[in-house]
Amino acid sequence: MLVLITYDVRTTSSAGQRRLRMVSKMCQNYGQRVQNSVFECNVDAAQFASLKLQLVEMIDPREDSLRFYQLGNNYKNKVEHVGVKASIDMDAPLIL
C-alpha cells in the first residue's frame, strides 16, 4: 500500500535538528522524498505499523507533528503529479 508521510519538526534547538535528521533518515529507508518533508512509502501493513511506531517514538509531540495518509494499493489512480522532479515508479524493476 502507498502511504504518504508528512512531518513538521521544530528545529530551533539542536535536539530538534537531531529529531529532524532521524525522521528524514527513517522515511528514506522506506520510501522516496517527494517534497521537503513529504515521503511516499510503498509498504505492507507490518512495515507500516513498524515505521509508524518508530516515527512516533522519535518526535516530541509537544513540538513536532506527523501525518500519515494511507492511499492503499490502488494509489496510481489517486496520485497526480505536475511539474519538475518526476517520481520513481516503485513497482518497476530496479536495474543496477
Side-chain angles (χ1 to χ4, degrees):
M1 83 175 116
L2 184 70
V3 177
L4 191 70
I5 300 173
T6 67
Y7 55 87
D8 188 16
V9 177
R10 179 174 278 175
T11 58
T12 55
S13 68
S14 59
Q17 293 170 3
R18 181 176 167 274
R19 289 193 312 274
L20 177 65
R21 286 190 302 273
M22 289 173 36
V23 169
S24 174
K25 188 170 278 198
M26 180 60 63
C27 289
Q28 287 176 13
N29 289 337
Y30 284 87
Q32 68 174 334
R33 183 187 303 270
V34 293
Q35 298 272 321
N36 285 338
S37 296
V38 181
F39 280 82
E40 289 179 351
C41 301
N42 199 354
V43 293
D44 61 30
Q47 290 171 321
F48 175 58
S50 175
L51 173 59
K52 184 177 177 180
L53 180 65
Q54 292 176 74
L55 289 173
V56 168
E57 290 176 351
M58 285 179 188
I59 67 161
D60 180 345
R62 296 167 298 178
E63 296 187 2
D64 310 328
S65 68
L66 287 167
R67 285 183 174 254
F68 302 94
Y69 300 90
Q70 297 179 54
L71 299 178
N73 292 322
N74 298 321
Y75 63 88
K76 291 186 180 184
N77 297 332
K78 299 175 185 174
V79 177
E80 183 176 344
H81 176 91
V82 176
V84 297
K85 194 176 178 182
S87 61
I88 298 168
D89 182 358
M90 307 247 279
D91 293 329
L94 178 63
I95 300 172
L96 300 173

